[in-house]
């Protein structure tokens, strides 16, 4: 069974608008971490934001925020005021448990920002 | 200064050859990783080393052998290359800090096996 599900293979958004990229996860651990990475066409993986399972507040980093709904096991990424440079693949990932060193990635969502 | 560097960036080789990809991190992290990203962009962990010791070894063919001469380096050697090995290989490193451990990725090595 997939641990991380990203149901949107592709998303389009107009410049300056907000966009939400979906991510649901599956774990029986009480302690885990959720990550979002951006991969532009140049290929590098860029860390965006992190949410711990015990964090009560949603994580925010600049224009990125993580809409964490623990009961629904969802960790959606919200990008506000989209910019052309936001066009990229976005990956949701999970670290299960405090002792695990492993990140499990979703299949990614390709975001295109239109001018 | 590049935090995690990989060489080469591109590698084109023929089936049956043996090749190596080098990775170095200057962040002082204890843990390093190799990931494989296939043609559909799916990213999957292959190996993880903590302070030169192997801690994660996913179901990877034994043609793939990681080597960590010191905690700043994790190289990947691949024997008898096959067409299916064509992919982008990412090295990463991490250090836990207050239960958060952001993984820093290298720029990737695009391996093409012909």
């Amino acid at each position: 069974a997939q641990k991380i599900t990203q149901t949107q293979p592709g998303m389009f958004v107009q410049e300056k608008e907000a966009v939400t990229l979906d991510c649901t996860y599956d774990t029986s651990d009480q302690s885990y971490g959720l990550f979002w990475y951006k991969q532009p066409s140049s290929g590098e993986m860029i860390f965006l934001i992190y949410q711990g399972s015990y964090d009560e507040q949603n994580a925010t980093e600049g224009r990125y925020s993580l809409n964490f709904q623990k009961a629904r096991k969802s960790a959606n990424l919200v990008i506000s005021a989209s910019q052309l440079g936001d066009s990229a693949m976005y990956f949701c990932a999970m670290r299960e448990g405090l002792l695990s060193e492993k990140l499990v990635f979703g299949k990614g969502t390709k975001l295109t920002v239109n001018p | 200064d590049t935090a995690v560097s990989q060489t080469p960036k591109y590698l084109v080789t023929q089936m049956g050859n043996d090749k190596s990809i080098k990775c170095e991190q200057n962040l002082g992290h204890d843990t390093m990783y190799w990931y494989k990203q296939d043609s559909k962009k799916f990213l999957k962990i292959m190996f993880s080393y903590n302070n030169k010791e192997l801690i994660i070894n996913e179901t990877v063919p034994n043609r793939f052998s990681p080597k960590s001469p010191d905690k700043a380096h994790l190289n990947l050697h691949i024997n008898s290359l096959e067409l299916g090995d064509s992919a982008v290989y990412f090295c990463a490193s991490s250090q836990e800090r207050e239960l958060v451990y952001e993984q820093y990725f290298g720029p990737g090595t695009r391996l093409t096996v012909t």
Side-chain angles (χ1 to χ4, degrees):
Chain A
Q2 278 188 332
K3 295 278 188 179
I4 296 285
T5 303
Q6 294 181 253
T7 57
Q8 307 151 314
M11 286 284 285
F12 293 87
V13 66
Q14 287 296 122
E15 198 177 1
K16 299 181 186 175
E17 291 185 352
V19 63
T20 298
L21 306 183
D22 294 342
C23 173
T24 57
Y25 58 91
D26 181 25
T27 182
S28 55
D29 280 336
Q30 295 300 310
S31 300
Y32 51 89
L34 297 155
F35 302 76
W36 277 92
Y37 281 83
K38 172 184 177 182
Q39 187 177 39
S41 58
S42 50
E44 70 270 31
M45 294 287 288
I46 303 166
F47 168 78
L48 295 178
I49 197 166
Y50 167 83
Q51 179 86 40
S53 58
Y54 290 116
D55 294 339
E56 294 186 352
Q57 290 196 326
N58 286 340
T60 60
E61 289 285 348
R63 293 185 300 109
Y64 303 107
S65 60
L66 201 152
N67 184 357
F68 181 46
Q69 297 188 44
K70 197 169 181 177
R72 293 186 177 184
K73 295 188 174 178
S74 76
N76 299 338
L77 177 70
V78 181
I79 306 175
S80 62
S82 297
Q83 301 172 356
L84 295 178
D86 294 333
S87 294
M89 284 288 289
Y90 288 82
F91 293 94
C92 180
M94 177 174 65
R95 175 197 188 191
E96 285 187 290
L98 293 178
L99 299 179
S100 173
E101 298 279 1
K102 188 166 83 169
L103 279 186
V104 177
F105 283 82
K107 293 187 175 181
T109 295
K110 184 173 181 181
L111 177 66
T112 302
V113 180
N114 293 318
Chain B
D1 279 346
T2 304
V4 182
S5 59
Q6 292 178 231
T7 53
K9 189 165 173 62
Y10 300 97
L11 185 53
V12 181
T13 188
Q14 290 186 325
M15 282 176 57
N17 285 348
D18 303 339
K19 290 292 178 186
S20 292
I21 306 172
K22 294 185 177 182
C23 177
E24 177 181 1
Q25 53 97 2
N26 63 6
L27 298 164
H29 289 170
D30 287 334
T31 308
M32 295 184 72
Y33 311 79
W34 277 108
Y35 286 86
K36 178 180 179 180
Q37 187 175 40
D38 63 24
S39 58
K40 294 183 180 178
K41 298 287 189 181
F42 185 54
L43 200 64
K44 190 165 192 274
I45 192 165
M46 300 172 69
F47 301 104
S48 171
Y49 268 73
N50 183 281
N51 234 336
K52 302 193 298 175
E53 188 177 328
L54 180 68
I55 54 172
I56 293 175
N57 184 349
E58 294 292 295
T59 49
V60 177
N62 57 14
R63 297 183 295 104
F64 290 80
S65 53
K67 285 189 171 46
S68 182
D70 55 62
K71 77 171 195 178
H73 295 84
L74 181 62
N75 303 324
L76 184 65
H77 188 76
I78 315 170
N79 289 328
S80 304
L81 277 154
E82 300 178 357
L83 293 176
D85 298 333
S86 295
V88 180
Y89 292 85
F90 285 96
C91 177
S93 73
S94 71
Q95 184 79 26
E96 186 148 342
R97 175 180 53 85
E98 297 175 356
L99 298 181
V100 180
Y101 86 128
E102 175 188 336
Q103 287 195 9
Y104 292 84
F105 281 77
T109 295
R110 183 174 292 278
L111 171 65
T112 304
V113 182
T114 61

